Amino acid sequence: MSSQQRHGLSAKTLRELERASGRLAKASVAAMEERLPWFGRMPADQRASVLLITQAGAAGFVRWLRDSQEALKLTTDAFRTAPRELSRWISLRQTVGLVRLAIEVFEEQLHEFAADERERAALIEGILRYGREVAFAAANSYAAAAEARGAWDARLEALVVDGVVRGDAEESVLSRAAALGWDPAASATVLVGNPPSDDPPAVVFEVRSKAARIGRPVLLGVQGSRLVVVVAGATEGGSKEREILPTLSTAFAQGPVVAGPTVESLAQAHHSAAEALSGLRAVVGWPAAPRPAYAADLLPERALAGDAEAERQLIESIARPLEAAGPALLETIDAYLECGGVLETCARQLFVHPNTVRYRLRKAAELTGRNAGHPRDALVLRTALTVGRLARSRGLW
């Protein structure tokens, strides 16, 4: 039994329907212009493209009636160019609206081609089934286009993160980031650690779900055994800002997570990435490091690992201010550290009153931000003074 016999349509009806496919397509486009305000605002060349696509769909309906066994293939072929063109102008929802309206116009006019009620019912049933397949074909094509755009965005995002890590030219990084919707004026903080999975899509989903929870844009890239995340916006200040990095840290695998300093924009993000990666290499030297650990809190370990930038920061923020404050303050810090933090012993060694030692320790804390009575700060102070002396002996200071 032929396909047209199964549909209950005569060869004459199919020929007349085929000859009228152009008229039906024009009537559909006219209805679109009348009933859909946004369609009328489209440029003429785009409306003409919709007309061509509608004509292809009308011709495809006749082919579908002639050979329904190849329905899906014929429908896909007939609409192969539609999403590629339409997806640049209109959304999937609008495309489905166009298909629905075209089907309504076809349904209203198909009775003219039916020889009797039986053929009329067969045509109505056929256009409804065909319209369903067209809608599914359009949805599949839009989904494929979205996946292709998503894959391209993922590659572009990986290039941006790689450029941030390597310190590529600012223009290339910023232009690619702008294509991804990144605000060029937003501050940035780099977070590094181990990825939670070997499956990149799973990693992306995990990080983006955490970022959506805190409402911050992120750029991320998996580089071998490390995950690099660039977070937009300030990560210090109020309580909400301070929770940003700890929340994102839960998206990393077990193990250390290190945050670089917050920089003014993505153009300076390389500095944050460099310090974060340096901290990740050195954090093993601090077993009790918090999660995330800040690169600025890992200066002793980074300096011991050979990071010249960490040595410079220790000298500039601690050694220089203490030396500039005078020999008494520097001598007090040295003596206090050598005495194991025992105030009275330090005072006896310096032949001063304990209150004098307290005053000098407070003064040192104001200058450096480090309290010599705190074990961790004491380590930072001792390392900074040692690094400063070594730099001076080499003529670097």
Side-chain angles (χ1 to χ4, degrees):
M1 181 183 296
S2 67
S3 176
Q4 62 192 50
Q5 288 175 331
R6 284 195 299 270
H7 286 293
L9 300 173
S10 63
K12 177 183 177 182
T13 299
L14 292 177
R15 284 195 303 271
E16 293 180 355
L17 187 61
E18 189 171 20
R19 284 194 294 268
S21 61
R23 176 168 61 87
L24 291 173
K26 290 181 180 179
S28 299
V29 173
M32 295 172 189
E33 294 177 342
E34 179 182 352
R35 303 183 198 179
L36 301 175
W38 60 265
F39 182 80
R41 294 192 293 268
M42 292 175 63
D45 59 331
Q46 296 179 6
R47 294 199 304 272
S49 296
V50 173
L51 174 59
L52 292 176
I53 294 167
T54 307
Q55 289 175 338
F61 175 52
V62 179
R63 294 199 304 270
W64 183 85
L65 290 173
R66 293 184 184 278
D67 190 359
S68 60
Q69 297 297 323
E70 299 293 328
L72 183 58
K73 179 180 181 300
L74 292 173
T75 302
T76 302
D77 290 343
F79 281 81
R80 180 173 295 168
T81 59
R84 228 177 324 188
E85 296 177 0
L86 292 181
S87 61
R88 291 195 289 265
W89 309 326
I90 60 178
S91 66
L92 174 59
R93 179 179 298 179
Q94 291 172 325
T95 300
V96 173
L98 293 179
V99 173
R100 180 184 293 112
L101 186 54
I103 297 304
E104 290 178 1
V105 173
F106 274 50
E107 188 176 353
E108 291 171 359
Q109 301 193 21
L110 283 180
H111 68 277
E112 301 176 6
F113 306 96
D116 50 35
E117 286 298 323
R118 180 177 56 81
E119 283 198 349
R120 184 175 184 275
L123 286 173
I124 297 300
E125 179 185 357
I127 193 60
L128 292 177
R129 291 177 57 192
Y130 181 70
R132 179 189 63 189
E133 293 184 5
V134 168
F136 276 120
N140 286 334
S141 297
Y142 268 83
E147 289 179 358
R149 286 194 299 270
W152 169 251
D153 287 348
R155 290 192 293 271
L156 189 61
E157 185 175 12
L159 288 174
V160 172
V161 174
D162 183 63
V164 167
V165 171
R166 293 192 300 154
D168 286 349
E170 295 178 4
E171 293 78 8
S172 61
V173 171
L174 292 177
S175 63
R176 289 168 177 167
L180 294 170
W182 184 273
D183 181 5
S187 56
T189 307
V190 176
L191 202 63
V192 296
N194 298 321
S197 170
D198 294 332
D199 182 22
V203 175
V204 171
F205 174 79
E206 184 69 19
V207 175
R208 294 210 182 283
S209 62
K210 301 293 183 183
R213 185 176 304 173
I214 61 177
R216 289 297 177 90
V218 295
L219 297 170
L220 66 139
V222 179
Q223 300 181 337
S225 60
R226 70 189 181 195
L227 170 62
V228 181
V229 179
V230 184
V231 189
T235 57
E236 301 173 353
S239 58
K240 290 184 178 180
E241 284 76 13
R242 287 195 296 268
E243 289 300 317
I244 290 174
L245 296 186
T247 299
L248 283 177
S249 296
T250 60
F252 288 76
Q254 293 297 319
V257 178
V258 179
T262 299
V263 293
E264 293 183 357
S265 69
L266 191 65
Q268 291 85 42
H270 169 63
H271 303 293
S272 181
E275 294 202 32
L277 292 171
S278 173
L280 187 64
R281 290 189 293 268
V283 70
V284 66
W286 185 11
R291 180 185 163 100
Y294 290 88
D297 295 333
L298 289 163
L299 290 177
E301 289 78 13
R302 290 168 55 193
L304 290 173
D307 185 351
E309 174 61 21
E311 294 181 8
R312 186 194 66 79
Q313 291 185 35
L314 286 171
I315 293 173
E316 294 295 332
S317 63
I318 296 177
R320 282 185 186 276
L322 289 177
E323 181 170 314
L329 191 60
L330 188 59
E331 182 185 20
T332 300
I333 294 296
D334 279 330
Y336 185 79
L337 295 175
E338 289 298 329
C339 292
V342 180
L343 189 70
E344 290 75 12
T345 303
C346 178
R348 287 195 300 270
Q349 183 174 325
L350 295 174
F351 301 102
V352 297
H353 194 277
N355 285 341
T356 302
V357 175
R358 291 189 181 95
Y359 169 78
R360 292 175 180 176
L361 293 179
R362 284 197 300 270
K363 182 66 175 178
E366 292 174 0
L367 290 173
T368 65
R370 302 289 179 173
N371 182 0
H374 189 281
R376 180 67 190 176
D377 284 352
L379 172 64
V380 176
L381 288 167
R382 184 184 292 275
T383 306
L385 294 176
T386 302
V387 167
R389 294 187 181 103
L390 291 172
R392 184 181 291 280
S393 70
R394 298 194 300 267
L396 301 178
W397 173 21

